[in-house]
Amino acid sequence: MSADAIVLGAGIIGVSTALQLARRGKSVVLVDRREPGLETSYGNAGLIQREGVVPYGFPQQFGMILRYALNNRIDAHYHWRAIPRVTSFLAKYWWHSNLSRHQMIARAYAPLIEHSISTHNELIEAAGAEDLIQKDGWTEVFRTSAKHDGEMKEAERLAGEYGVKYQDLTPADIAAQEPHLSRDFVGGLKWLDPWSVKDPLALTRAYVALFEKLGGRILKGDAKSLSQTSTGWRIVAGDGTVEAKDVVVALGPWSDTVTKPLGYDFLVGVKRGYHMHYATQGNAKLNGWTMDAERGYFLAPMNQGIRLTTGAEFAMRDAPKTPVQLERAEKVAQSIFPLAERLDQEPWMGARPCTPDMMPVIGKAPRHKGLWFAFGHAHHGLTLGPITGQVIAEAITGEKTLIDISAYRPERFGI
């Protein structure tokens, strides 16, 4: 079987890349070991975060680092055994999170975020997936005035520098917006630009259906079987092999299974995360996506139920589940919203691929013709799927890219 391009990885980044190539008339084969959208793309909070111009940094204050070291929080947890293996990543992550460097990174990151809604909207309309989208932002609620005031100051800065829109919520505003939420909160911050996705897996599948309608093919295969040929690339998939001139590695936290054998050793860490769906008591309803800011968990009204998501777990990618953050979050969440029984048989867990400078790897491999990278999107994979796919597709087809992607080039790792 032959094609113009092979895309490895059927998460939202890979699916979006394959779709953007197909929209440009290319024959594309999308390859994964599983059905599309079942890994990290399935388990996120379901936000297209237009406001997320500042990537999540590593704490700089010694007191905060010490509190995280106690390992009893909801927003972060770590495996002791993993620390020696992730020390190099964490050290560089901390270094890049310094205030001045972090602000420089945000300025380089912002163009991706700025096109997140518009590029999603094109695909949503083409895929007929409008019923999966809610367009009224999301809300952070605060337990203390100090937290509220600090976050409002940052929101004002982001509005001035990046044009994001927000609303300062009083306790009365919160009560009107979420009447079934407890009165524990002194105020809130509503980000007005982002869109919410009621079922991230269904959105990925809608993009897949559009991809197939445009002639794209999906095959199960092992990305580790990738090999270079005299004219391009070959992979074992389906009942045979597929050859193509170009191949895109969009395997998220598993990208190293392909990049390392080819001589590209990226320093990529993994932040694992958990979720669980819940029923509600009586007629209780959660109207919008809500974050308990000081505690570090999210409540999202998904089609499957109220999804409770945790923060980051620093562990080896393939280590067994340890959903202690979920158990901690559940107890707190039940005190502010009438969650009822769990709806899933067991907690879901996914792994976010994170670079130490908090920006994804997007661009052409420096030493192999026809090899392209699209991974490392950390917390913003869903947000950045379509824009990443578009700029990769434009680069492959020789078009001028919608934005300058030089800041995300693989060479910044010194490979």
Side-chain angles (χ1 to χ4, degrees):
M1 187 184 301
S2 63
D4 293 321
I6 299 166
V7 177
L8 302 179
I12 189 65
I13 301 295
V15 168
S16 297
T17 300
L19 176 53
Q20 295 283 24
L21 283 165
R23 294 180 82 209
R24 286 159 176 77
K26 297 297 181 181
S27 60
V28 187
V29 176
L30 180 62
V31 178
D32 203 315
R33 61 184 179 179
R34 302 185 67 187
E35 297 296 324
L38 292 181
E39 294 288 356
T40 313
S41 298
Y42 170 72
N44 54 75
L47 289 172
I48 304 172
Q49 287 192 259
R50 169 62 184 88
E51 92 297 345
V53 291
V54 179
Y56 295 99
F58 195 95
Q60 298 291 291
Q61 303 84 2
F62 178 76
M64 179 60 74
I65 294 174
L66 183 60
R67 287 193 288 275
Y68 279 117
L70 296 175
N71 213 19
N72 58 4
R73 299 175 63 91
I74 294 170
D75 56 345
H77 180 71
Y78 60 89
H79 288 187
W80 283 102
R81 292 182 178 180
I83 294 302
R85 300 280 297 275
V86 301
T87 297
S88 178
F89 167 77
L90 291 177
K92 291 188 178 181
Y93 183 20
W94 173 84
W95 188 84
H96 282 293
S97 298
N98 169 274
L99 179 60
S100 60
R101 286 185 286 271
H102 199 191
Q103 290 178 346
M104 289 177 60
I105 288 167
R107 286 191 287 273
Y109 190 64
L112 280 172
I113 293 291
E114 287 169 2
H115 291 277
S116 58
I117 295 289
S118 59
T119 51
H120 259 291
N121 187 52
E122 287 183 13
L123 301 189
I124 288 165
E125 290 183 349
E130 292 91 341
D131 61 322
L132 297 173
I133 306 301
Q134 193 165 311
K135 301 180 181 180
D136 58 356
W138 68 277
T139 301
E140 298 181 61
V141 289
F142 308 110
R143 295 170 179 267
T144 65
S145 296
K147 181 68 171 176
H148 168 267
D149 294 347
E151 293 301 313
M152 290 305 303
K153 183 177 180 180
E154 175 66 1
E156 184 177 358
R157 183 184 74 84
L158 296 181
E161 292 187 24
Y162 300 105
V164 299
K165 301 180 181 65
Y166 69 93
Q167 180 183 354
D168 186 356
L169 303 180
T170 66
D173 294 330
I174 297 172
Q177 180 176 300
E178 298 293 352
H180 293 102
L181 204 65
S182 74
R183 301 299 180 260
D184 291 31
F185 305 102
V186 302
L189 166 60
K190 184 163 188 177
W191 299 104
L192 301 175
D193 298 305
W195 289 2
S196 307
V197 182
K198 301 174 186 177
D199 186 340
L201 176 60
L203 182 64
T204 302
R205 286 177 170 169
Y207 290 173
V208 167
L210 178 59
F211 169 65
E212 292 182 306
K213 183 178 179 181
L214 294 173
R217 291 168 287 179
I218 301 173
L219 296 175
K220 286 190 176 181
D222 185 351
K224 290 184 287 187
S225 68
L226 183 70
S227 61
Q228 193 171 19
T229 70
S230 59
T231 57
W233 298 89
R234 176 189 296 122
I235 190 168
V236 178
D239 296 326
T241 61
V242 182
E243 295 192 4
K245 176 186 174 183
D246 294 289
V247 62
V248 182
V249 179
L251 292 162
W254 295 276
S255 294
D256 63 335
T257 62
V258 171
T259 60
K260 278 190 176 181
L262 293 172
Y264 301 100
D265 193 3
F266 294 97
L267 182 60
V268 175
V270 169
K271 293 182 186 177
R272 306 198 312 178
Y274 297 85
H275 83 227
M276 173 61 67
H277 293 108
Y278 297 83
T280 59
Q281 298 177 25
N283 65 346
K285 182 180 180 182
L286 185 68
N287 293 312
W289 277 243
T290 306
M291 180 181 182
D292 186 348
E294 277 105 333
R295 298 296 187 267
Y297 65 89
F298 224 104
L299 292 173
M302 298 285 185
N303 288 346
Q304 301 97 320
I306 303 298
R307 179 177 290 185
L308 170 61
T309 69
T310 67
E313 179 183 66
F314 294 90
M316 301 312 296
R317 181 188 62 203
D318 302 320
K321 294 179 183 180
T322 53
V324 294
Q325 290 163 282
L326 184 65
E327 294 163 8
R328 295 167 186 162
E330 182 180 282
K331 293 176 183 178
V332 179
Q334 287 173 335
S335 71
I336 69 160
F337 185 83
L339 296 176
E341 70 275 9
R342 291 184 171 191
L343 299 178
D344 303 325
Q345 290 186 347
E346 61 179 276
W348 178 92
M349 184 192 76
R352 308 178 187 98
C354 305
T355 64
D357 66 2
M358 293 157 279
M359 294 193 295
V361 180
I362 303 174
K364 188 181 182 303
R367 298 189 303 276
H368 289 80
K369 186 177 180 181
L371 177 63
W372 303 82
F373 299 139
F375 57 84
H377 293 74
H379 297 262
H380 287 155
L382 177 62
T383 295
L384 299 178
I387 177 60
T388 298
Q390 179 166 330
V391 295
I392 282 285
E394 288 168 341
I396 289 174
T397 56
E399 303 172 51
K400 181 181 179 180
T401 55
L402 178 63
I403 60 172
D404 180 6
I405 60 174
S406 61
Y408 325 120
R409 64 192 184 281
E411 290 90 336
R412 74 183 195 271
F413 287 87
I415 55 175

